[in-house]
Amino acid sequence: MKKIALSILVSTFLLFIIITMFNALSLETRQPVSEPFNSTIAENHAIDTLSKAIQFKTISYQDRNKMDLEEFDRFISFLEQSYPLIHEQLELEKVNGYALVYKWKGTNVNKLPIGLTSHYDVVPVLQGTEGKWEHGPFSGTIADGKIWGRGTLDDKVGVIGILEAVDHLLSQGYQPERDFYFMFGHDEEIGGDEGAAKIVSTLESRGIQFDFVLDEGGAIVENMVPGVDQPVGVVGISEKGSVTSELSIEGSGGHSSQPKDQTNIGRIARAIAKLEETQFPADLKGPGEDLFEFVAPEMSFGMKYVFANKFIFEPVIEKILLRQPASAALIRTTIAPTIFQAGEQYNALPEKASAIINLRLMPGDSLKEVKDYIEKTIDDQDIKVTLNGSEASGVSSVDSWHFQTIQQSAKNIYDDAVIAPYLMFAGSDAKHYDSIAVNTYRFLPVQLTSQDLKRMHGTNEHISIDNYLKAIGFYMEVIKESDQH
Ligand SMILES: [Zn+2]
């Protein structure tokens, strides 16, 4: 009897090993084969133009009155002077005065257009940090194989990179089959309500629908995904929602010499502690799951084995992802208490206490579900919970030719990189385009280090010339690749 039980156990174990090994070994790559990129780019013009573009202080401020719109006008004139061929052959429309829409007419009206978008406003340089820049933030200095200044990465490289690509294709006599739209917002850094949102409502009123729109977003990064040695280019297929929640309680205050067991401050603090202890449930699904489906085949065998058998190892994978804030944010709605307010005097109990929590919502989590979850978790009837903000964007397809076009184009330029979909945690102009595009993607075709990421809204922002020229190449590839479909 014992023998039979043992042999059943052994054969079950063997079967388990065979099936899971088979799964790991049969994991097929989701990377296209790189096709050689063999266009020459007018390097001097490209470098000179980006350097000059950086010198315009097209700064967005939360207080719109502080924006120097004459500088924005000067930037637009500068584009007209720098790209005469584009301004001769493409239609330019200034939506709401400053948001730019270039239309390149194709020959086939039966195909939906493609949209490439970026923004030419930049964030301010933090007061007192000007002196810390190796080269002035608006100098556009070209030194050590790099171009320096605010906007070199975020996101004048997008605007000038796209225009350089178009300029180059025009000079080669390229005539697209589809219509292409190149759309440049002027207030992305403060939400895009006057720029991208107005472009979208204008195009929507004309019944224009895109096959896909490509905005900035993910980039090519190293050491981001454990188990993958190559750089990974992440293409955002969705962005998380951003919601502000206020928890507040009002009630009798009183003298601090005879406090009740539970004070207003204590109750709000307890509510937050409960939310932090409980956290929103984690689930490897949607864009997070897609990311691993694309990178797993490129991983070391051990990791490949785990991801190929997700049906068994999912709890383990989730546990590992939850260890780091950056990977945890990929699989759950996050809570970040950012403001806590109560009390004015050391010996008086406050009548009101409140806290603000910033939440980033997973695609699919509705405002109502999130509110219900908070209320259930804190379990205190007297605490009022309000929610303000937006749910996550839609999730764009990874099986479409749209995604494959971006993947192929990136692979042609960065042939050693793994190109995969992912979920963006921060907001972008792309969300505005959701309503007029079948799919919306978020990808900045440059290779970034973790230092570069800090420089984006910080000090010493710069781009290597090599990276910049590759970005131009990528945009040329996207136009040509998508035009073939
Ligand atoms: Zn940006």
Side-chain angles (χ1 to χ4, degrees):
M1 199 59 198
K2 239 184 182 175
K3 248 185 177 171
I4 295 170
L6 189 70
S7 85
I8 290 174
L9 199 71
V10 169
S11 43
T12 313
F13 180 69
L14 279 177
L15 194 66
F16 171 81
I17 294 292
I18 290 168
I19 291 171
T20 52
M21 286 297 267
F22 177 80
N23 286 344
L25 291 168
S26 56
L27 215 54
E28 271 177 41
T29 183
R30 306 225 22 196
Q31 300 302 307
V33 178
S34 171
E35 294 159 9
F37 171 75
N38 41 26
S39 284
T40 47
I41 294 167
E43 294 186 10
N44 289 341
H45 184 268
I47 295 164
D48 183 56
T49 312
L50 181 59
S51 158
K52 284 186 181 139
I54 298 304
Q55 296 169 37
F56 292 87
K57 294 182 178 171
T58 48
I59 305 169
S60 267
Y61 293 96
Q62 289 299 337
D63 176 2
R64 285 181 184 268
N65 293 322
K66 283 172 76 181
M67 285 167 78
D68 178 5
L69 290 175
E70 281 173 21
E71 188 75 348
F72 286 67
D73 279 323
R74 284 191 283 273
F75 181 78
I76 296 170
S77 308
F78 159 75
L79 292 183
E80 285 165 8
Q81 288 153 21
S82 303
Y83 299 105
L85 204 54
I86 290 179
H87 288 83
E88 194 186 291
Q89 301 198 20
L90 273 62
E91 290 164 27
L92 168 62
E93 181 178 0
K94 294 171 197 166
V95 175
N96 203 16
Y98 298 94
L100 308 178
V101 178
Y102 289 90
K103 180 181 174 185
W104 194 1
K105 249 194 113 22
T107 49
N108 187 344
V109 289
N110 297 318
K111 289 187 175 180
L112 292 181
I114 306 287
L116 305 183
T117 174
S118 50
H119 61 92
Y120 70 94
D121 63 318
V122 297
V123 292
V125 173
L126 217 62
Q127 248 181 10
T129 63
E130 297 89 344
K132 292 186 186 154
W133 285 69
E134 272 177 55
H135 302 280
F138 296 98
S139 65
T141 301
I142 303 164
D144 316 322
K146 298 170 187 133
I147 304 171
W148 291 75
R150 177 63 86 229
T152 44
L153 293 172
D154 186 10
D155 182 21
K156 282 179 177 163
V157 60
V159 178
I160 305 298
I162 290 169
L163 290 175
E164 282 293 327
V166 177
D167 196 39
H168 195 69
L169 290 171
L170 278 172
S171 69
Q172 288 177 334
Y174 187 84
Q175 167 61 56
E177 208 182 318
R178 297 166 173 274
D179 287 352
F180 281 85
Y181 285 77
F182 310 109
M183 302 166 286
F184 307 130
H186 68 289
D187 66 345
E188 189 272 348
E189 297 293 358
I190 48 173
D193 290 344
E194 297 298 318
K198 290 283 178 349
I199 291 177
V200 169
S201 57
T202 305
L203 297 181
E204 201 164 27
S205 72
R206 294 179 197 153
I208 290 165
Q209 176 83 10
F210 291 96
D211 250 320
F212 72 85
V213 170
L214 173 66
D215 191 10
E216 62 170 343
I220 296 149
V221 286
E222 270 174 275
N223 304 322
M224 194 191 85
V225 188
V228 186
D229 297 330
Q230 306 98 302
V232 179
V234 285
V235 179
I237 55 170
S238 175
E239 60 193 73
K240 286 181 110 173
S242 180
V243 165
T244 304
S245 173
E246 188 189 39
L247 311 185
S248 62
I249 187 164
E250 268 181 272
S252 59
H255 197 275
S256 63
S257 60
Q258 37 189 322
K260 289 175 284 186
D261 284 352
Q262 284 205 322
T263 60
N264 289 342
I265 288 184
R267 285 168 79 175
I268 293 289
R270 199 169 58 105
I272 289 185
K274 271 189 180 173
L275 284 170
E276 286 188 341
E277 275 158 25
T278 317
Q279 296 287 346
F280 277 81
D283 192 1
L284 184 57
K285 61 174 183 184
E289 185 179 20
D290 289 336
L291 167 65
F292 286 104
E293 253 165 42
F294 277 71
V295 296
E298 318 305 322
M299 285 174 159
S300 54
F301 188 77
M303 298 292 271
K304 217 188 259 190
Y305 180 79
V306 171
F307 279 99
N309 296 289
K310 199 164 73 68
F311 67 104
I312 306 166
F313 295 115
E314 190 168 338
V316 183
I317 297 170
E318 284 169 4
K319 225 177 196 163
I320 295 169
L321 293 177
L322 287 177
R323 279 194 207 143
Q324 298 289 337
S327 47
L330 200 61
I331 57 171
R332 73 176 175 206
T333 289
T334 54
I335 43 169
T338 49
I339 300 174
F340 199 109
Q341 270 179 329
E344 275 164 39
Q345 200 176 309
Y346 81 94
N347 60 355
L349 287 162
E351 298 209 351
K352 190 180 172 186
S354 67
I356 299 285
I357 303 173
N358 185 245
L359 297 111
R360 298 298 165 110
L361 271 52
M362 286 292 280
D365 281 4
S366 72
L367 288 178
K368 185 175 179 315
E369 282 165 344
V370 167
K371 187 165 185 265
D372 289 349
Y373 189 82
I374 294 175
E375 284 173 342
K376 204 179 111 215
T377 305
I378 65 177
D379 189 25
D380 187 333
Q381 303 283 331
D382 297 331
I383 294 180
K384 199 172 131 200
V385 179
T386 60
L387 245 62
N388 234 312
S390 53
E391 291 168 6
S393 72
V395 179
S396 291
S397 156
V398 295
D399 299 312
S400 59
W401 67 262
H402 306 151
F403 181 81
Q404 279 150 13
T405 289
I406 293 165
Q407 199 191 19
Q408 179 73 58
S409 304
K411 192 79 185 163
N412 295 353
I413 304 294
Y414 294 92
D415 60 350
D416 62 333
V418 176
I419 312 297
Y422 93 123
L423 174 65
M424 259 191 30
F425 308 152
S428 75
D429 264 351
K431 60 180 173 291
H432 296 291
Y433 289 93
D434 257 1
S435 63
I436 56 167
V438 178
N439 284 304
T440 313
Y441 300 101
R442 301 150 177 86
F443 180 61
L444 186 71
V446 294
Q447 188 158 1
L448 300 177
T449 62
S450 53
Q451 287 304 312
D452 289 326
L453 289 170
K454 281 185 205 146
R455 291 186 192 113
M456 264 199 178
H457 282 198
T459 303
N460 280 323
E461 185 176 347
H462 63 251
I463 189 169
S464 76
I465 288 173
D466 177 53
N467 244 321
Y468 167 49
L469 297 177
K470 282 185 170 158
I472 298 170
F474 168 82
Y475 289 122
M476 287 170 64
E477 292 291 275
V478 168
I479 293 171
K480 289 196 287 186
E481 283 282 338
S482 55
D483 209 21
Q484 284 169 20
H485 286 270

